[in-house]
Amino acid sequence: MGNVSQQQPQPWPVASATGVGSWPGEDPDEAMRTIVGELPDLPHLPELPARGVGADMIGRAAGLLVDLPVEVQPTGWRVVDTPGRDLARAGSFLSYDLDALTEHLHAYEGPLKVQVAGPWTLAAAIELRNGQRVVSDPGAHRDLAESHLEGVLAHVADVRRRVPGARVVVQVDEPTLPAVLTGSLPTASGLSVLPAVDRVRVEAVLRTLFAAIDNAGAVPAAHCCAAGVPVDLLRRSGARALSVNARLLGRAHDEMVGDAVESGVGLLLGVVPSTDQPEPHPSGASGTAADAATAAARRSPGMSDPATIVDPVRELWNRLGFSPDLLSRVVVTTPTCGLAGASPRHARAALEAARGGARVLRDEPRR
């Protein structure tokens, strides 16, 4: 390895950091203000699932579907005949979020990331009328994929109208993709599992989506924070950036990651813990001693030392044999996953830590 394609420069500046997607709390204006302040080079449109049904990853994507209404049943989202209250809530939440985006970034020029659940994760989460997952029915999934693609393109167009100077990066979230490929999704009864979906079919659906995003003038990216992330499949499908948890990348991934980098694919690598560390109080501690113990517990090594944060990235880059000068151009540092489960304090600190890690990759690419 060692030859990296320069035909398609990355859409972000050198030494960039960003978030994965979700954010704690319920106030889109406050969330957007914080993200713009902490991530000036690559801000993103946050998701705020704490607001409830329709604000979560699946609900937001379901709200984008065209002519395919769904609603929430006791077992989850399900296809129905007519749109109802749940979709109206999802649309309202997204509208509030986009208004906050417009307020804070209307004059912004540069890369801007938005996230949307992918067609396979969505099909694994939404049920047909008979209670089975959409992913189990090829015809139903084809309809969902077409509806999803149309909705995603409309969403991208809306974001570009609101922030005309933005170069939109569309992060397609596929956390369930490994389960789809390995046949480990349970059936509706929970007594069995659905068969694996053919990889050729999976790749074809993603290739169609990524090509449409690219043709719309946006940058197609893919996110999967699971251990079995199919790096090769996502690269072949046309993703121009891959967002993965760096701490789950071992030597077995080296060749796939190296091939992706050589083909010009950018990497968004999760290096900062996405949830708060345990905060135990030592027995008998009190006053300032207890406070000091709590503060120390909050600071994992990865949160307190930017160089430690990015050690897995620098080790990976060294194994791959690429030029150190390319590291901070190709790699964006992120939390390991979304921050919805973190405290607001930890979420802000995680973005600060990711930004510090990005500077280390630029200034000290070698350990």
Side-chain angles (χ1 to χ4, degrees), residues 140-163:
H141 183 265
R142 184 167 53 250
D143 292 343
L144 181 143
E146 292 174 356
S147 171
H148 174 268
L149 187 152
E150 188 175 347
V152 169
L153 294 183
H155 179 48
V156 171
D158 189 10
V159 171
R160 295 182 72 182
R161 282 193 297 269
R162 290 168 177 269
V163 191

Side-chain angles (χ1 to χ4, degrees), residues 24 37 71 120 132 144 173 175 195 202 207 240 248 264 268 280 327:
E71 69 179 16
W120 293 105
Q132 293 293 349
L144 181 143
D173 291 329
V202 169
R207 183 182 296 114
R240 288 176 50 195
L248 296 180
L268 283 68
L327 179 52

